[in-house]
Amino acid sequence: MNLGHDPEPIFSVRYFTLDYEHSRITIHATDTRNPTRPSEDTRETEKGFIKWYRQEPLESPTSRFWRRHIGNELAHKFLLLDPSNRREFTLTDFPLGYYLYTHHVGSGSTHDDIRHDGYIFGGGHKFRSTKEALYHFAWLMIGMPQGRCKCVYDTPSSDTHRHQGRLNKELKKKWSEFLNNRARRRFLDFQKREGHQLPYEPPLATINVFNEDCFLINDPLSSTTAQTSSMQPSITPQLAGPSRARAAHPHSSITSTQYPISSRFAAVSRTDSPHG
């Protein structure tokens, strides 16, 4: 039974680059204006423990873990690259002005024998897990539209602020619903083809479509989250590296630069606050 499959989506936005061949995502946009980093000086606690921060090198095991986990979630669940192909994606680096540090606690300045925890510093926030950073990075990737960042630091305190567990459960539920709906649609299409003895014709690849329902606060100006709304970013996002994505579609010679950038990504004047 051939239920068919969706072609890999195409992206033509300037805020990130998808290198499908090497399974890498590079985020060009950033909301960090004055980067802040923790002090790497050691200090002693009242209980006699030693605490210190150390920045993680790009290719350290900790950095690779964070970049791979965030990259995979963004690729499969936000960009909707088909997870059935089992391809693993990673971030080439953290966005400009974002730094990964490990906080060590130990009985001596060279012994983190009590605990060590990773944190990403950037955008005026301290992200305590890959899950916390995930939503903020998705927001960066579509140009930081005003009022739509879903991370725990940019949402109202009466909503999901400081409740990452609630966001995690919501993502799990919505992602399950998405997969079920997609499977149902494919089956209904198969039944229709079989009933009319029609050959299978794969659908056209989507262009600049993101899973906004799972990762962003709903756009009040859009009837559906899958459609391009007229809402503009709150600031002109700062870009690092190429100003346009050049990710080739994996199944053809067409590159995403042949398609126009969506109107939602048009630059507008800067405001006082970069956050959603």
Side-chain angles (χ1 to χ4, degrees):
M1 183 171 63
N2 180 17
L3 296 182
H5 66 278
D6 295 334
E8 296 295 351
I10 298 173
F11 296 97
S12 168
V13 297
R14 55 184 173 177
Y15 301 125
F16 72 94
T17 298
L18 171 63
D19 181 353
Y20 193 92
E21 180 180 357
H22 300 96
S23 303
R24 290 179 176 271
I25 297 173
T26 303
I27 300 177
H28 303 305
T30 182
D31 58 339
T32 300
R33 297 175 182 172
N34 299 303
T36 57
R37 308 192 192 193
S39 171
E40 297 191 24
D41 296 336
T42 59
R43 62 185 183 88
E44 185 174 353
T45 68
E46 295 179 354
K47 297 182 178 181
F49 300 137
I50 303 296
K51 295 185 177 182
W52 72 98
Y53 280 98
R54 286 292 182 271
Q55 184 177 354
E56 290 291 338
L58 181 63
E59 293 301 329
S60 73
T62 300
S63 174
R64 289 199 299 268
F65 172 82
W66 280 64
R67 290 186 292 113
R68 183 174 63 251
H69 185 87
I70 296 174
N72 260 326
E73 291 285 283
L74 289 172
H76 297 315
K77 297 180 181 179
F78 184 55
L79 302 183
L80 299 178
L81 300 176
D82 194 348
S84 63
N85 61 24
R86 299 183 180 181
R87 181 190 293 266
E88 284 198 352
F89 286 81
T90 186
L91 296 179
T92 55
D93 200 345
F94 299 104
L96 183 67
Y98 283 74
Y99 308 97
L100 176 64
Y101 278 80
T102 296
H103 185 232
H104 301 267
V105 181
S107 57
S109 59
T110 60
H111 301 284
D112 57 346
D113 50 354
I114 297 179
R115 65 180 299 164
H116 49 274
D117 304 289
Y119 301 95
I120 291 180
F121 290 82
H125 303 311
K126 176 183 177 181
F127 300 95
R128 291 165 168 79
S129 68
T130 58
K131 293 292 188 182
E132 285 193 357
L134 178 63
Y135 294 89
H136 199 78
F137 285 9
W139 176 69
L140 291 177
M141 290 171 65
I142 67 166
M144 303 183 292
Q146 183 177 12
R148 300 198 62 199
C149 183
K150 204 172 187 177
C151 84
V152 293
Y153 301 105
D154 286 337
T155 49
S157 58
S158 60
D159 188 7
T160 59
H161 187 66
R162 300 303 304 132
H163 292 288
Q164 185 62 38
R166 187 183 304 170
L167 280 178
N168 295 344
K169 292 180 180 178
E170 178 185 286
L171 176 59
K172 183 178 180 180
K173 178 182 178 181
K174 287 189 174 184
W175 182 243
S176 178
E177 291 174 350
F178 172 84
L179 294 178
N180 289 336
N181 290 336
R182 184 176 64 175
R184 186 180 300 109
R185 172 178 57 81
R186 289 176 176 175
F187 182 71
L188 292 176
D189 288 345
F190 169 78
Q191 286 186 318
K192 182 178 180 180
R193 292 197 311 271
E194 289 293 297
H196 294 83
Q197 297 183 344
L198 299 174
Y200 172 70
E201 294 184 4
L204 297 176
T206 61
I207 302 175
N208 297 341
V209 173
F210 305 85
N211 186 4
E212 299 183 18
D213 184 50
C214 285
F215 287 90
L216 298 173
I217 294 175
N218 288 340
D219 185 349
L221 300 183
S222 176
S223 58
T224 65
T225 56
Q227 295 176 338
T228 299
S229 75
S230 59
M231 179 177 286
Q232 302 295 336
S234 59
I235 67 171
T236 301
Q238 303 174 52
L239 299 177
S243 61
R244 297 195 62 177
R246 296 172 51 173
H249 187 266
H251 305 309
S252 73
S253 60
I254 299 175
T255 60
S256 62
T257 53
Q258 293 176 280
Y259 297 91
I261 295 177
S262 168
S263 61
R264 80 155 54 241
F265 304 107
V268 295
S269 59
R270 187 183 303 273
T271 62
D272 292 336
S273 173
H275 301 302

